[in-house]
Amino acid sequence: MDRTVHIYTDRGAISILLVAVKGAMVVFGIVILAQAFFRGEVGQVLWIGLVLVLGGAVFGGYDLIKLIDRSPQLTFSPEGFVDHRVARPVVIPWEKFGSLGYRGGGSSGWTLELFMVDGGHVLVPASHLAVTPKGLARLVQEYAPQAEVDRRFRLWLG
C-alpha cells in the first residue's frame, strides 16, 4: 500500500448537538447565578448554578476543542500505524501486527484491539472517529494483510 490515510474526529450532528447542550447548560447556569445574586439568595440555587456553569464549561469546552481540532487522530502509512491521541505518538510497523479484534460496549463505544506478534497489544478507541468499524478493519487489513481478524470481530462486522 503506497498511500497515506488520515482519520479525523467525527464531526457529526450528535457531536455538535452535545456541544450545544453543554453550552446551554453554561448559559442557564449564568441566568440562575444572576437571579440568585439579584435576589440575595445564597443556598442551593447558587450551588446548582455553579455546577451548571462549571460542568458545562469544562465538559463542553473539552468537546468543543475536540470538535474544532483539525489534526488527524490516526494515520495509516506504508511505514506503519500512528495514533496521534496518545502522549507520544510512535509509528508501529505493519509487520508487528498479528491479528485484530474489538472490545465493544461500555459508555465509550467500541475499541479496536491490535494484537502484536510479540504478545503485546494496542487499543484504539474508535467510537469518536469518522470511520465505521468495517472501514477501519478493512484499512488495517489493506496495510497488514498478515493480520488475521478475530472470529467474534468478523461476526460483529457482519
Side-chain angles (χ1 to χ4, degrees):
M1 183 66 42
D2 293 333
R3 65 186 173 121
T4 299
V5 177
H6 298 290
I7 298 175
Y8 297 91
T9 303
D10 181 28
R11 291 177 179 80
I14 299 292
S15 300
I16 295 168
L17 179 66
L18 287 174
V19 170
V21 166
K22 291 170 186 172
M25 284 174 51
V26 171
V27 171
F28 187 62
I30 290 172
V31 168
I32 288 174
L33 287 174
Q35 287 177 347
F37 177 75
F38 288 121
R39 290 182 189 158
E41 296 175 354
V42 179
Q44 205 170 18
V45 174
L46 182 68
W47 287 111
I48 291 171
L50 282 173
V51 167
L52 283 172
V53 169
L54 293 176
V58 169
F59 296 114
Y62 176 77
D63 288 348
L64 182 62
I65 289 169
K66 294 304 270 177
L67 192 65
I68 61 177
D69 182 15
R70 290 291 190 196
S71 61
Q73 303 301 305
L74 304 177
T75 299
F76 292 80
S77 70
E79 293 80 37
F81 167 79
V82 181
D83 186 350
H84 298 283
R85 299 170 295 179
V86 296
R88 289 188 189 169
V90 294
V91 177
I92 303 171
W94 294 113
E95 301 81 41
K96 293 196 174 205
F97 293 113
S99 63
L100 63 128
Y102 83 102
R103 291 185 182 186
S107 62
S108 63
W110 70 283
T111 300
L112 180 68
E113 191 167 17
L114 301 167
F115 297 98
M116 312 295 273
V117 291
D118 63 3
H121 66 278
V122 177
L123 296 176
V124 183
S127 59
H128 299 291
L129 297 175
V131 65
T132 63
K134 194 177 284 190
L136 192 55
R138 283 188 182 143
L139 272 172
V140 172
Q141 287 181 310
E142 283 180 31
Y143 285 95
Q146 80 280 2
E148 297 201 19
V149 180
D150 182 84
R151 182 181 56 82
R152 294 175 306 136
F153 193 35
R154 275 184 276 159
L155 290 172
W156 186 67
L157 289 173

